[in-house]
């Protein structure tokens, strides 16, 4: 069992869609550059273009194009990262399609515009090497191998604030590190901060073989909890290999029926009504919701609001949250990875030119673990 310090940055019910907060500090037009006294920065400034996966208007993966784009300018509190790998997340799919529709009006801070995403370059997960640093950067240095989260990562170069980056786990490749930020941060904050996984507590993860779920199982075990994972028949062995104490094949058994009761349930699927899931909680248990929902207009908002209101009259608590990427939690994940307690499962790896195929594969629902893009 390990102790994972809380960052204090997780927001309870800050965003009912429970999509990871992403940093959008990336210019769409040329900006005046901050002077950086390094030869590497001079070389970066001279490279005015880069390859990037861009999108002008909302739609499916066919709207994505690999194009020459203007390289990002450096800002005082940011670094320029030479990207080596990224990965595909549900947030990328939602922003690409502009769904749920309500986010086109209220989701500007999360990358939604009225007619198309902002910025135009897709991607959120980051893994690469620092090529230049702004004058206000104090922690990172040129040459550091980093990982983290910032909008516009399906590109050869990325500008990212220092606060959303951390040093890459030394025992992971760039592809492995790229699989972690959005999904593992969501798992960490959901399991540690809201499910409060600890020795003596029994935690169930619904969707245990997915991008967030397979990290959640490992983190809960590292925190000393008893863990039950719910998965399909073909993924039962995988979830068991992650360290789950019990695995439920949802095609054979329903975890909400008579059976064990849990101190916390992390629902990453949204296939069951919260009222039904609460039947599987112990008194004073907590249901943690982190999924998108099928409603194309409001996503899971109506279901989450109903569950929150109902829980006021129940012993069980319902929590929906927005995970916030920060350097402290990236350091916590790094420590777990280097201790051998956290490892990404990568289903398939695509080239940058195959970003359309990568997102299509994610949307197919056939993947287990993470889908990675090598740059």
């Amino acid at each position: 069992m390990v102790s994972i310090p809380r960052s204090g940055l997780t927001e309870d019910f800050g965003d009912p869609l429970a999509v990871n907060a992403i940093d959008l500090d990336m210019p769409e037009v040329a900006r005046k550059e901050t002077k950086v006294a390094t030869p590497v920065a001079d070389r970066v400034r001279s490279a005015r273009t880069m390859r990037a996966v861009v999108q002008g208007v909302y739609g499916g993966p066919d709207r994505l194009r690999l194009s020459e784009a203007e390289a990002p300018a450096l800002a005082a509190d940011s670094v320029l990262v030479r990207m080596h790998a990224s990965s595909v997340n549900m947030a990328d799919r939602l922003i690409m399609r502009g769904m749920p529709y309500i986010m086109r009006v209220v989701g500007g801070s999360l990358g939604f515009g009225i007619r198309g995403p902002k910025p135009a370059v897709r991607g959120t997960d980051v893994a690469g090497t620092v090529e230049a640093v702004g004058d206000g950067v104090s922690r990172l240095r040129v040459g550091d191998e980093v990982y983290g989260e910032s909008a516009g990562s399906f590109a050869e170069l990325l500008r990212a604030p220092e606060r959303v980056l951390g040093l890459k786990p030394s025992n992971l490749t760039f592809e492995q590190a790229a699989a972690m930020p959005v999904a593992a941060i969501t798992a960490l904050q959901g399991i540690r901060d809201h499910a409060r996984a600890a020795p003596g507590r029994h935690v169930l993860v619904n969707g245990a073989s997915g991008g967030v779920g397979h990290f959640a199982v490992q983190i809960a075990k590292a925190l000393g909890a008893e863990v039950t994972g719910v998965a399909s028949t073909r993924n039962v062995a995988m979830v068991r290999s992650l360290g789950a104490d019990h695995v439920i094949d949802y095609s054979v058994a329903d975890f909400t029926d008579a059976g064990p009761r849990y101190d916390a349930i992390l629902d990453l699927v949204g296939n069951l009504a919260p009222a039904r899931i609460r039947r599987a909680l112990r008194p004073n248990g907590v249901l943690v919701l982190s999924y998108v929902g099928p409603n194309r207009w409001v996503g899971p908002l109506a279901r989450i609001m109903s569950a929150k209101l109902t829980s006021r009259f129940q012993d069980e608590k319902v929590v929906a949250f927005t995970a916030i990427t920060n350097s402290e939690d990236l350091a916590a994940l790094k420590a777990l990875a280097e201790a051998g307690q956290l490892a990404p499962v990568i289903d398939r790896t695509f080239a940058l030119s195959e970003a359309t195929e990568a997102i299509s594969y994610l949307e197919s629902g056939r993947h287990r673990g993470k889908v990675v893009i090598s740059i």
Side-chain angles (χ1 to χ4, degrees):
M1 182 188 70
V2 299
S3 175
I4 307 176
R6 293 173 61 118
S7 68
L9 295 178
T10 304
E11 296 179 351
D12 181 6
F13 202 51
D15 173 13
L17 299 180
V19 177
N20 234 41
I22 58 177
D23 193 288
L24 302 175
D25 187 20
M26 177 176 176
E28 297 185 48
V29 296
R31 292 181 56 181
K32 184 177 180 180
E33 298 162 321
T34 302
K35 183 176 180 181
V36 182
T38 68
V40 175
D42 293 337
R43 177 168 61 84
V44 171
R45 267 199 300 275
S46 66
R48 301 303 305 168
T49 62
M50 63 178 181
R51 292 191 311 151
V53 176
V54 300
Q55 177 186 5
V57 296
Y58 289 126
D62 60 307
R63 294 289 189 179
L64 304 180
R65 297 287 183 272
L66 181 63
S67 305
E68 288 291 317
E70 186 173 3
L74 193 63
D77 65 344
S78 69
V79 303
L80 284 182
V81 178
R82 173 66 61 178
M83 289 292 299
H84 299 312
S86 184
S87 73
V88 183
N89 296 288
M90 185 58 67
D92 301 313
R93 172 186 177 272
L94 295 176
I95 295 173
M96 176 187 73
R97 292 189 176 275
M99 294 178 66
Y101 295 142
I102 191 175
M103 297 304 292
R104 301 187 186 191
V105 179
V106 302
S109 64
L110 293 174
F112 291 85
I114 299 298
R115 292 185 171 84
K118 296 180 179 181
V121 181
R122 299 275 51 77
T124 49
D125 278 330
V126 177
T129 304
V130 174
E131 289 217 345
V133 299
D135 292 335
V137 172
S138 59
R139 186 169 47 84
L140 298 177
R141 300 288 183 268
V142 171
D144 282 347
E145 296 181 348
V146 296
Y147 79 131
E149 179 191 1
S150 191
S153 63
F154 292 174
E156 292 176 324
L157 281 172
L158 171 77
R159 187 186 79 185
E162 184 182 34
R163 67 180 182 275
V164 296
L165 297 176
L167 293 177
K168 177 180 76 67
S170 59
N171 60 328
L172 299 186
T173 65
F174 283 109
E175 286 76 15
Q176 290 173 314
M180 291 181 63
V182 170
I185 287 285
T186 302
L188 174 65
Q189 294 176 4
I191 288 293
R192 178 195 62 192
D193 302 342
H194 299 296
R196 303 188 305 276
R201 288 178 65 81
H202 192 172
V203 176
L204 180 139
V205 178
N206 187 26
S209 64
V212 176
H214 85 285
F215 287 125
V217 169
Q218 296 175 76
I219 292 170
K221 285 303 299 179
L223 289 169
E226 180 180 359
V227 180
T228 294
V230 181
S232 65
T233 303
R234 76 184 187 97
N235 291 324
V236 166
M238 169 199 161
V239 174
R240 187 172 287 115
S241 73
L242 298 173
D245 300 288
H246 320 280
V247 184
I248 297 174
D249 180 346
Y250 64 73
S251 67
V252 175
D254 183 343
F255 71 86
T256 67
D257 288 340
R261 292 295 178 257
Y262 307 94
D263 298 291
I265 296 174
L266 176 61
D267 184 16
L268 302 168
V269 183
N271 59 327
L272 300 172
R276 182 174 172 180
I277 296 177
R278 282 205 307 267
R279 300 189 325 219
L281 286 171
R282 291 173 177 166
N284 301 311
V286 58
L287 169 59
V288 184
L289 305 176
S290 181
Y291 57 81
V292 176
N295 189 305
R296 66 176 60 191
W297 291 96
V298 297
L301 181 60
R303 176 176 285 187
I304 289 175
M305 289 297 293
S306 175
K308 292 282 287 185
L309 290 172
T310 303
S311 70
R312 294 185 178 183
F313 308 99
Q314 305 286 339
D315 293 333
E316 301 82 19
K317 181 182 179 182
V318 177
V319 174
F321 73 101
T322 297
I324 300 178
T325 296
N326 59 85
S327 59
E328 292 84 0
D329 282 349
L330 289 168
L333 294 174
K334 177 177 183 289
L336 286 175
E338 291 178 345
Q341 295 179 300
L342 186 66
V345 173
I346 296 177
D347 187 316
R348 290 181 62 180
T349 301
F350 294 82
L352 184 62
S353 60
E354 298 173 317
T356 296
E357 290 86 346
I359 294 185
S360 295
Y361 185 58
L362 178 81
E363 289 191 316
S364 73
R366 299 192 306 269
H367 69 288
R368 65 181 82 185
K370 292 289 295 181
V371 178
V372 169
I373 294 178
S374 181
I375 301 172

